[in-house]
Amino acid sequence: MANRYYLNEEKYPRYGNCVFISHQRNDKEIAKTIANYIYRSGLDIYFDEYDMSIDRDDPQSVVNAIKNGIRRSTHMLCILSQNALQSKWMPWEIGYGYERLQVAGITVKEISKGVLPEYLQIVPILRGTRSLNTFIANTMGRIEKSLIDEQKIYSASMMSHPLDSILDWSL
């Protein structure tokens, strides 16, 4: 799995869009599923779980890696769950990235719009598979149907969608 972090900017200059995946550690499997779905579409990602340079026991290492990932990204997608609402890192990431990136959130099934903190109520909120597909297509400057036809993303109404267990398909 590629990760923007690993691109040596001298050898591989920044190109195209990159989505920074912001998530709470307890949601890493959900975030990994969403990150892989986005990456499969052809978008580059930064996902800290794929960043082998991070020493998770060293807060400075974590901060440096996150800052670097945000600087190399064009978009931030915040995975919004009950765990995320308790996170101490996510508000910091969003604050650091807010002026640098296009920030959006995506709610997992258990989250309603009413429970989002005020700092998230001012960013676009994706509510499910359909809106995630639209986000991917818009970020890539592509037509959603062509990405579906090329099997880069799956139709939101597809039976057994890979995101069915975590996102609402119809939103």
Side-chain angles (χ1 to χ4, degrees):
M1 181 62 55
N3 209 27
R4 176 64 60 101
Y5 179 83
Y6 294 110
L7 297 179
N8 175 325
E9 290 193 54
E10 291 175 13
K11 189 173 181 182
Y12 302 99
R14 182 173 162 151
Y15 64 94
N17 292 321
C18 178
V19 179
F20 181 96
I21 306 296
S22 177
H23 69 288
Q24 204 277 338
R25 185 182 299 177
N26 291 333
D27 294 327
K28 71 179 169 184
E29 291 307 314
I30 290 170
K32 184 177 186 177
T33 302
I34 293 170
N36 290 345
Y37 184 80
I38 293 169
Y39 181 73
R40 184 180 188 281
S41 75
L43 269 173
D44 196 5
I45 61 167
Y46 175 84
F47 183 48
D48 67 342
E49 295 297 323
Y50 295 147
D51 187 343
M52 297 300 127
S53 74
I54 299 176
D55 177 354
R56 306 239 182 252
D57 296 323
D58 177 9
Q60 189 62 54
S61 173
V62 174
V63 167
N64 291 342
I66 289 171
K67 284 173 139 180
N68 199 19
I70 289 171
R71 281 192 298 266
R72 293 182 181 194
S73 297
T74 56
H75 295 73
M76 177 182 289
L77 185 62
C78 307
I79 312 300
L80 304 175
S81 69
Q82 290 294 12
N83 292 325
L85 298 178
Q86 308 305 315
S87 175
K88 296 192 185 342
W89 279 106
M90 285 184 67
W92 180 87
E93 289 174 355
I94 294 164
Y96 186 78
Y98 191 76
E99 294 297 321
R100 295 170 173 82
L101 310 173
Q102 293 181 32
V103 178
I106 186 164
T107 57
V108 298
K109 281 186 173 185
E110 82 239 19
I111 295 294
S112 70
K113 186 174 185 172
V115 301
L116 296 178
E118 289 176 347
Y119 70 92
L120 287 172
Q121 292 178 13
I122 62 170
V123 301
I125 301 296
L126 312 178
R127 294 280 174 198
T129 307
R130 184 178 311 275
S131 57
L132 177 60
N133 282 351
T134 301
F135 169 82
I136 290 169
N138 289 343
T139 302
M140 295 178 79
R142 301 276 313 273
I143 296 170
E144 185 176 335
K145 177 147 178 26
S146 69
L147 291 171
I148 292 169
D149 291 345
E150 294 169 25
Q151 299 181 344
K152 302 264 186 193
I153 61 175
Y154 299 104
S155 170
S157 59
M158 173 189 150
M159 296 291 285
S160 302
H161 194 285
L163 301 176
D164 277 348
S165 65
I166 55 178
L167 300 178
D168 291 317
W169 68 271
S170 63
L171 302 174

